[in-house]
Amino acid sequence: MEAILQAAANALTLSRILAVPAIVYLVLQSEDGSSTAATIIFTLAALTDFLDGRLARATGTVGEFGRVFDPLADRIFISCTIAALTLIPINPLPMIGVALVIGRDILMILGYKMLGTRGVKLRVTFLGKIYTAIFMAAILFRLAGWWPWEFLFWLGVAGSILTGAIYTLKGLNRLTEVNSEP
C-alpha cells in the first residue's frame, strides 16, 4: 500500500510537467494570454503541488524522487508558462521579470546538481513554498485576466530572487562544511 501511495504522489508531481504543453499551447493561441481552458488546466496542475506533498507526508512515503522532482516540476511548470506569457502580442509579461525568474531557476537547478555530486542536499524552505504559491497565484490571475496579477507577479519575482539568494548561501555554507570535514 505504501508503494501505491508513493507512486500516486509521484504521478501527481509528474502531472504538473505533463500539463505544460497544453497550457503553453492555449496561452499562445490567445492574443492576450487569457484562456479559460488554460486557467482550468493550470489550476488543476497547481493543486497537485499541494496534494502530492500532502499525500506523501500524511502517509510517510516521502521519497528521493519527490524531494528532487517536486521542486523541479514547479520550476518547469512556472518557467514554461511565464515564458509563453511573454510571447503573446497583447499585454505580455515583462521580459525582465521573466528573465530574472528563469535565470534564477536555471542557476538553482545547476547548483542543486553540483551540490549533489559533492553529497550536499538542500531541502525546500517554507519561504520557498510560499513564493512558489504566490507565483502560481500570479500566473493563475494572469491567465484568468484578473487584476491583481501584476502585483503578485512582481512579488513572486522578488521572492524568487530572495529565495534563490537564501538557497545559494545555504548551499555554499553546506559545501564549506563538507569540504572542511577531515
Side-chain angles (χ1 to χ4, degrees), residues 70-113:
D70 182 66
L72 181 61
D74 291 344
R75 305 292 42 101
I76 292 168
F77 181 58
I78 289 170
S79 293
C80 290
T81 304
I82 63 175
L85 285 166
T86 65
L87 300 175
I88 56 174
I90 298 173
N91 200 18
L93 287 183
M95 183 64 76
I96 187 69
V98 172
L100 286 169
V101 172
I102 292 175
R104 176 264 193 201
D105 288 350
I106 290 169
L107 289 174
M108 292 297 101
I109 291 167
L110 294 174
Y112 182 84
K113 181 70 175 160

Side-chain angles (χ1 to χ4, degrees), residues 9-98:
N10 293 344
L12 287 170
T13 297
L14 288 174
S15 72
R16 265 193 315 289
I17 297 171
L18 295 175
V20 167
I23 294 166
V24 168
Y25 174 78
L26 291 166
V27 165
L28 295 176
Q29 292 304 305
S30 76
E31 288 187 359
D32 68 352
S34 296
S35 165
T36 301
T39 302
I40 291 168
I41 294 168
F42 186 89
T43 301
L44 293 173
L47 288 173
T48 68
D49 189 33
F50 171 75
L51 294 174
D52 62 2
R54 180 122 177 145
L55 177 63
R57 284 187 299 280
T59 59
T61 57
V62 176
E64 190 61 25
F65 178 88
R67 277 191 214 66
V68 172
F69 281 95
D70 182 66
L72 181 61
D74 291 344
R75 305 292 42 101
I76 292 168
F77 181 58
I78 289 170
S79 293
C80 290
T81 304
I82 63 175
L85 285 166
T86 65
L87 300 175
I88 56 174
I90 298 173
N91 200 18
L93 287 183
M95 183 64 76
I96 187 69
V98 172

Side-chain angles (χ1 to χ4, degrees), residues 109-179:
I109 291 167
L110 294 174
Y112 182 84
K113 181 70 175 160
M114 189 262 317
L115 291 172
T117 62
R118 294 189 167 94
V120 175
K121 294 184 181 185
L122 296 178
R123 299 216 185 264
V124 174
T125 65
F126 183 68
L127 188 61
K129 290 179 184 190
I130 288 172
Y131 278 108
T132 295
I134 289 170
F135 222 100
M136 285 185 183
I139 295 167
L140 171 64
F141 282 28
R142 177 62 185 86
L143 292 172
W146 297 338
W147 167 77
W149 74 264
E150 195 165 2
F151 170 75
L152 292 172
F153 172 77
W154 287 112
L155 184 60
V157 170
S160 183
I161 300 305
L162 174 64
T163 56
I166 291 169
Y167 288 130
T168 299
L169 291 173
K170 281 186 176 189
L172 291 172
N173 285 338
R174 290 281 296 126
L175 192 57
T176 302
E177 291 170 6
V178 168
N179 286 339

